[in-house]
């Protein structure tokens, strides 16, 4: 299930968030080599993990096996603050668009082959399922160029915001991706189920902070 954690319920989910911080450190620092964000306590946290952040945790039997974060774009976010060079124009800013970042899946939940990882698919489904009733219409994200086709196959309208650039030896492109009810239906089709991916308490989570 996907647990959505916001400022409204983070105090009741400290154990899960501790797992999330450590998962982020394992993925982005220890595996991907982002030495600049390494911490002695093995918890990857940055300046955007504040009261405006929305954390999506894939939880399997009380273990966090996947993570991603949503940030409002109506205020400073990662792309606008640290990677504006990926945009040929001004980075998007809208109360209806979030930034999707810090996307990762634990080694124990990874799969091989060309199919989209089930945990990552559940997280993306959770974003759309959670976001649509809250007025979200899409997200911006910095991602490997290979992800673009996958988003289109999921009926998510991904448009590059600029030309790809090499970052940490990976070709990265910033995209503005729109979603709607058709996207949710395609995601459900890919998952083979129309059941909600959200934990029951996350289906009534507070609206996105702004």
């Amino acid at each position: 299930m996907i647990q959505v954690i916001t400022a409204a319920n983070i105090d009741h989910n400290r154990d899960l968030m501790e797992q999330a911080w450590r998962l982020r450190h394992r993925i982005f620092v220890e595996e991907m080599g982002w030495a600049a964000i390494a911490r002695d306590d093995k918890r990857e946290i940055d300046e955007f993990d504040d009261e405006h952040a929305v954390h999506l945790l894939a939880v399997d039997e009380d273990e966090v096996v996947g993570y991603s974060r949503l940030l409002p774009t109506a205020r400073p976010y990662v792309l606008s603050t640290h990677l504006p060079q990926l945009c040929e124009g001004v980075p998007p800013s809208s109360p209806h668009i979030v930034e999707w970042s810090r996307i990762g899946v634990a080694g124990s939940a990874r799969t091989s082959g060309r199919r989209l990882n089930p945990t990552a698919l559940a997280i993306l489904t959770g974003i759309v399922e959670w976001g649509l009733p809250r007025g979200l219409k899409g997200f911006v994200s910095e991602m490997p160029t290979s992800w673009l086709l996958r988003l289109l196959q999921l009926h998510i309208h991904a448009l590059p915001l600029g030309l790809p650039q090499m970052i940490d030896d990976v070709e990265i492109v910033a995209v503005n991706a729109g979603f709607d009810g058709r996207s949710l239906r395609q995601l459900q089709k890919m998952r083979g189920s129309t059941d909600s991916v959200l934990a029951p308490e996350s289906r009534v989570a507070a609206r996105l902070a702004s």
Side-chain angles (χ1 to χ4, degrees):
M1 298 294 280
I2 305 301
Q3 183 80 46
V4 180
I5 298 179
T6 69
N9 64 353
I10 195 168
D11 287 338
H12 301 293
N13 292 281
R14 288 294 177 185
D15 289 344
L16 289 178
M17 286 307 305
E18 280 299 319
Q19 289 190 54
W21 306 136
R22 295 178 187 281
L23 176 62
R24 280 171 43 170
H25 198 278
R26 289 199 303 273
I27 292 173
F28 300 113
V29 177
E30 298 169 23
E31 296 181 12
M32 298 180 66
W34 295 6
I37 61 173
R39 288 170 46 128
D40 291 339
D41 63 4
K42 306 297 184 181
R43 300 161 75 246
E44 198 276 293
I45 303 175
D46 66 17
E47 71 266 35
F48 299 104
D49 292 307
D50 57 16
E51 70 272 19
H52 303 284
V54 175
H55 310 276
L56 290 99
L57 282 58
V59 181
D60 182 16
E61 296 184 352
D62 298 323
E63 179 185 359
V64 177
V65 297
Y67 175 89
S68 66
R69 180 179 68 188
L70 304 179
L71 297 173
T73 61
R75 54 183 294 108
Y77 58 101
V78 177
L79 179 63
S80 67
T81 303
H82 296 299
L83 296 168
Q85 69 272 21
L86 291 175
C87 300
E88 293 189 352
V90 177
S93 176
S94 168
H96 304 295
I97 299 174
V98 291
E99 180 183 50
W100 182 30
S101 64
R102 289 300 195 266
I103 308 157
V105 174
S108 61
R110 293 174 192 166
T111 55
S112 59
R114 299 180 63 181
R115 294 187 63 186
L116 185 62
N117 178 276
T119 302
L121 182 59
I123 291 173
L124 183 52
T125 305
I127 291 171
V128 177
E129 183 182 338
W130 183 84
L132 284 176
R134 290 164 174 80
L136 295 186
K137 297 181 179 179
F139 58 80
V140 297
S141 189
E142 311 82 57
M143 58 181 57
T145 53
S146 59
W147 289 21
L148 273 172
L149 178 58
R150 287 185 175 182
L151 289 178
L152 293 172
Q153 291 170 335
L154 295 170
H155 294 190
I156 293 175
H157 303 280
L159 297 174
L161 291 167
L163 294 175
Q165 297 187 29
M166 295 300 295
I167 298 178
D168 295 328
D169 298 322
V170 179
E171 190 177 64
I172 298 294
V173 63
V175 301
N176 191 353
F179 56 72
D180 55 23
R182 293 171 298 179
S183 311
L184 180 58
R185 290 190 291 273
Q186 180 68 4
L187 287 162
Q188 292 171 335
K189 179 180 178 181
M190 294 293 290
R191 293 185 59 250
S193 174
T194 58
D195 293 342
S196 175
V197 300
L198 299 177
E201 58 270 28
S202 295
R203 299 169 200 171
V204 294
R207 289 180 177 270
L208 184 70
S210 60

